[in-house]
Amino acid sequence: MPEPRSTTGVVALGPLNPVADRLGRPVHDLRISVMDRCNFRCPYCMPQSTFDEKYRFLRAQGRLARVAARLGVRKVRLTGGEPLLRNGLPDLVAELSGIDGIEDLALTTNGVLLAQHAAELKGNGLHRVTVSLDSLDEAVFRKMSGGFGGLPQVLEGIEAALAAGLRPVKVNTVVQRGLNDHTVLNLLEHFRGTEVTVRLIEYMDVG
């Protein structure tokens, strides 16, 4: 029999089976990179030597979140680049939060623009945020962000996220020997007793 078609001429999908990995475990999480551009040039992520002004970034890509939800995905994380650079991100959050089956919607950000958007993102359905923050030392922060500042804005963004109810707030700290390892204890002390969870990530140079 021919495939059923909608009035728009697009093939209508029938029921979909949940997706599992090779060990038979169901796949519930989906990461969507909504923006490959970033306002930092962290050497371990987007080094300036590669991602300079001549680098050709990707054009906006289509979204498959609705299909993924039908395949069993329950958690969606928005990433980049820096996702807060994307125009209309709150509208995208509202769209994703309205998809049947999506129970958890999170965002990973460097936090510089978070204070400006936290309340609107929460109002549009975002549940929680993860902020990348490698040091509270201004000089170390600038070095690890590729020569960019913004530490006060990042801390302001974390506070704004908490105030907006984006919980839990998690901080990801990439630890590099001889670069920021001596500032880790200070960072941990800063967030001790708060609602912020700090996660230390070992830097692994894979060439």
Side-chain angles (χ1 to χ4, degrees), residues 38-58:
C38 187
N39 45 4
F40 282 179
R41 286 295 179 269
C42 302
Y44 58 79
C45 181
M46 297 180 68
Q48 183 69 42
S49 58
T50 300
F51 298 90
D52 57 17
E53 64 277 1
K54 297 180 181 178
Y55 186 83
R56 297 183 63 181
F57 288 96
L58 297 174

Side-chain angles (χ1 to χ4, degrees), residues 32 63 65 76 78 91-100 102 105:
I32 301 177
R63 296 185 297 273
V76 173
L78 304 179
D91 294 333
L92 174 60
V93 168
E95 178 183 347
L96 295 176
S97 67
I99 296 176
D100 290 339
I102 300 301
L105 185 57

Side-chain angles (χ1 to χ4, degrees), residues 14-50:
L16 302 179
N17 295 322
V19 174
D21 65 14
R22 293 182 178 180
L23 297 179
R25 297 170 298 190
V27 176
H28 295 309
D29 294 32
L30 173 68
R31 297 176 69 94
I32 301 177
S33 178
V34 300
M35 169 69 70
D36 62 344
R37 295 165 179 81
C38 187
N39 45 4
F40 282 179
R41 286 295 179 269
C42 302
Y44 58 79
C45 181
M46 297 180 68
Q48 183 69 42
S49 58
T50 300

